[in-house]
Amino acid sequence: MTIHLAKMRMGMSQMISVITKQSMLIQQDQDVVPFRNRVKECAVKLKMGLVNQTKLITAASELVRNMLKYGRGGQVVIEAVSKRNQFGVRLIFIDKGPGIPDIALAMKDGYSTGKSLGLGLPGTKRLVNEFDIESAVGVGTKVSIIKWCNG
Amino acid sequence: MGSNIIEILKNSQSTILENWSKTQASAMSFNDDLISSQEIQEQSEELITAFLRNLNEENLGNGDAPEFDEVVESLSDLSISRAKLGFSPKETSVFVNGMKNAIIDVLEAQLISQPAQLYAASKKLNYLFDSFSIVTFETFIRGREEVIIRQTDEISEISTPVIRVWEGILALPIIGTLDSARTQVVMENLLEAIVETGSSIAILDISGVPAVDSLVAQHLMKTVAATRLMGAECVISGIRPEIAQTIVHLGIDLSNIITKASLAHALRFSFQSLKLEVRKQQTPANR
Ligand SMILES: Nc1ncnc2c1ncn2[C@@H]1O[C@H](COP(=O)(O)OP(=O)(O)OP(=O)(O)O)[C@@H](O)[C@H]1O
Ligand SMILES: [Mg+2]
């Protein structure tokens, strides 16, 4: 069996400390709204502004939908994090789906294997401050994002 | 051994009921307001009667035996009605287990000199009541699920009203997440109302939509396209500043769609395109 490992790192900085952490299972469409509400609660606790909150929630929504549509569901971790004097929300999406064979292609605006707009991944990257994606065909996909409160 | 035990139980109905009522009185005392002791007494009696009538040597220990259908049914009814009354599943469990304990107490008193028989019978009764407990638990959950499903239906209905704001103008305030199922309902209601009222403009107000991601945007575009196919125009209003910024960063192109900041703006646009004029009345004072 050959596992094609594709990796693309956008340098998520190492000096991040986790303040709070919770995790949720995502298995069906009905899990999307509760998940988004948890993300929102976390952002509100950190006093994130409305515009950044909306960007974060929209990004979260895109990634969780990809996970459901392409990755057969998975797990998400919601963290309040800090780096030096900054506070923010980190979300980690992990699925054991088919994986993405060509990440660079999937990150292109308009590329979709699902007859959709193909804006989820590239759009999410524009909405957040840090974006990290790893995927291995036949193993799964992991996406981490951070939105800083003042980012 | 068997027939002996069945006989003992059938002859002890009133003692069992009495024992059971006593334990219930202490367990339920804080729930007087939910159910009367008279009702509990009646339910208990009905259940014991049905149980003892259908009990035989073979089915002692087998809750799936068809003879127990009647018992299972009244347990289900009881569990559902208690779920609706606001009992917790634990309280219903305590009720069912109380019956088992009352039965075992009677056997204990009568079989004190035959521990092997007592043990064998208790074990079977435990199996039997375990399966009865599971029935009550399952029905309890099913009862709650029915409530949830009904509420979901109600919510999707009340949250997609089509309002005729003016002759030829419809408005649809959308509140909550516009998922695929909701979009279907919105679209159907809208297209139907367009035909019914002969309207030529529909305003989709998304002030109440928490986030517009690519899926929601796609649903909006589809709704607009369908409206146009019906020969009407569709305006989207209530795009909050933070949503507008997010849409732009996400890369969604809404330039083919008429968008307005607020419902009022959308209404003004609609009046203009219908060549209607809204003016302040000329009063003698400012003439
Ligand atoms: N978790 C995942 N597992 C497997 N493949 C994925 C996953 N997420 C994305 N992909 C692949 O990457 C492609 C691009 O994803 P992206 O979210 O950008 O677009 P889309 O989901 O197709 O459309 P849109 O999000 O605009 O509705 C997808 O079509 C899919 O092939
Ligand atoms: Mg997507």
Side-chain angles (χ1 to χ4, degrees):
Chain A
M1 188 177 85
T2 54
I3 292 177
H4 174 186
L5 184 75
K7 254 193 178 186
M8 189 152 98
R9 286 195 164 269
M10 272 100 188
M12 197 171 279
S13 178
Q14 296 307 305
M15 331 212 343
I16 289 168
S17 50
V18 178
I19 308 164
T20 63
K21 179 181 182 132
Q22 67 185 109
S23 113
M24 279 178 86
L25 274 182
I26 304 289
Q27 282 158 331
Q28 47 184 355
D29 285 348
Q30 283 89 315
D31 299 333
V32 171
V33 172
F35 161 66
R36 279 202 323 222
N37 289 344
R38 293 298 90 72
V39 173
K40 185 173 172 132
E41 276 164 23
C42 186
V44 168
K45 261 191 211 140
L46 295 174
K47 303 204 166 61
M48 188 181 283
L50 193 55
V51 173
N52 283 344
Q53 248 184 60
T54 308
K55 287 180 179 174
L56 171 68
I57 291 165
T58 308
S61 196
E62 291 295 344
L63 294 176
V64 83
R65 288 211 155 110
N66 277 356
M67 203 163 87
L68 279 168
K69 186 169 173 187
Y70 305 110
R72 299 190 291 264
Q75 200 194 13
V76 281
V77 182
I78 305 170
E79 293 173 332
V81 294
S82 73
K83 188 172 84 174
R84 277 175 245 117
N85 291 334
Q86 294 194 97
F87 290 93
V89 176
R90 173 160 67 185
L91 304 175
I92 306 168
F93 302 77
I94 304 156
D95 70 58
K96 295 194 169 68
I100 303 173
D102 186 342
I103 292 184
L105 188 61
M107 290 300 298
K108 281 214 173 95
D109 275 317
Y111 175 79
S112 171
T113 57
K115 294 206 186 78
S116 196
L117 298 176
L119 291 173
L121 288 177
T124 297
K125 194 177 169 219
R126 287 187 289 265
L127 288 171
V128 298
N129 302 112
E130 301 191 26
F131 182 99
D132 188 35
I133 179 166
E134 289 171 45
S135 189
V137 171
V139 179
T141 302
K142 177 177 166 186
V143 184
S144 313
I145 57 172
I146 297 183
K147 185 78 192 166
W148 297 112
C149 287
N150 50 9
Chain B
M1 127 210 166
S3 59
N4 185 17
I5 283 170
I6 307 294
E7 226 164 90
I8 294 176
L9 290 179
K10 293 202 173 178
N11 293 331
S12 317
Q13 175 159 350
S14 54
T15 323
I16 294 172
L17 191 58
E18 211 173 289
N19 286 353
W20 187 15
S21 304
K22 261 183 243 158
T23 58
Q24 277 175 51
S26 54
M28 294 287 179
S29 54
F30 49 88
N31 260 329
D32 291 354
D33 42 338
L34 294 182
I35 192 166
S36 72
S37 50
Q38 158 110 36
E39 262 175 283
I40 295 183
Q41 187 72 24
E42 279 168 15
Q43 288 176 344
S44 310
E45 201 165 341
E46 192 191 314
L47 207 57
I48 290 262
T49 312
F51 175 69
L52 292 178
R53 186 170 52 233
N54 293 300
L55 187 67
N56 63 40
E57 250 173 88
E58 279 78 43
N59 64 22
L60 179 67
N62 176 15
D64 296 329
E67 299 90 69
F68 285 132
D69 284 355
E70 190 189 349
V71 177
V72 167
E73 200 171 299
S74 43
L75 274 175
S76 309
D77 289 351
L78 191 136
S79 181
I80 287 229
S81 67
R82 290 190 174 207
K84 286 181 186 155
L85 285 171
F87 279 82
S88 71
K90 182 183 160 192
E91 286 164 323
T92 308
S93 266
V94 167
F95 176 78
V96 176
N97 281 324
M99 174 165 158
K100 178 183 73 182
N101 292 336
I103 290 173
I104 290 181
D105 282 350
V106 165
L107 280 184
E108 199 180 353
Q110 306 244 353
L111 293 176
I112 192 84
S113 56
Q114 290 147 280
Q117 276 209 10
L118 177 60
Y119 174 75
S122 312
K123 197 172 162 188
K124 285 186 172 176
L125 281 165
N126 266 319
Y127 281 142
L128 187 58
F129 276 83
D130 281 350
S131 59
F132 288 163
S133 287
I134 292 169
V135 168
T136 60
F137 198 69
E138 278 191 335
T139 15
F140 190 92
I141 291 179
R142 212 179 322 126
R144 287 287 166 99
E145 272 171 0
E146 275 166 22
V147 172
I148 294 171
I149 289 169
R150 206 185 56 229
Q151 286 175 340
T152 313
D153 281 353
E154 277 170 13
I155 290 170
S156 73
E157 205 161 284
I158 57 174
S159 53
T160 49
V162 183
I163 304 160
R164 194 175 180 201
V165 282
W166 201 266
E167 217 169 287
I169 307 174
L170 297 173
L172 278 93
I174 298 171
I175 293 157
T177 302
L178 200 56
D179 58 18
S180 306
R182 274 289 290 295
T183 308
Q184 195 58 38
V185 178
V186 167
M187 221 190 277
E188 270 167 28
N189 289 354
L190 174 60
L191 300 185
E192 232 166 71
I194 288 175
V195 175
E196 231 168 67
T197 62
S199 296
S200 54
I201 296 185
I203 305 169
L204 280 185
D205 187 82
I206 59 165
S207 319
V209 176
V212 177
D213 59 15
S214 62
L215 187 75
V216 173
Q218 244 185 326
H219 287 325
L220 287 175
M221 291 192 250
K222 277 184 193 156
T223 310
V224 172
T227 314
R228 286 183 180 156
L229 278 178
M230 305 281 301
E233 187 51 89
C234 191
V235 182
I236 293 181
S237 73
I239 300 183
R240 299 192 300 274
E242 64 275 14
I243 299 229
Q245 287 189 52
T246 305
I247 289 178
V248 170
H249 278 101
L250 203 52
I252 295 168
D253 181 12
L254 292 184
S255 59
N256 291 328
I257 297 177
I258 305 165
T259 54
K260 299 286 163 199
S262 70
L263 187 60
H265 284 99
L267 204 52
R268 182 179 305 161
F269 167 85
S270 310
F271 284 148
Q272 275 165 6
S273 41
L274 291 180
K275 309 238 170 347
L276 292 169
E277 209 178 330
V278 182
R279 272 184 299 122
K280 192 166 185 157
Q281 215 173 41
Q282 294 271 308
T283 58
N286 49 16
R287 192 174 291 168

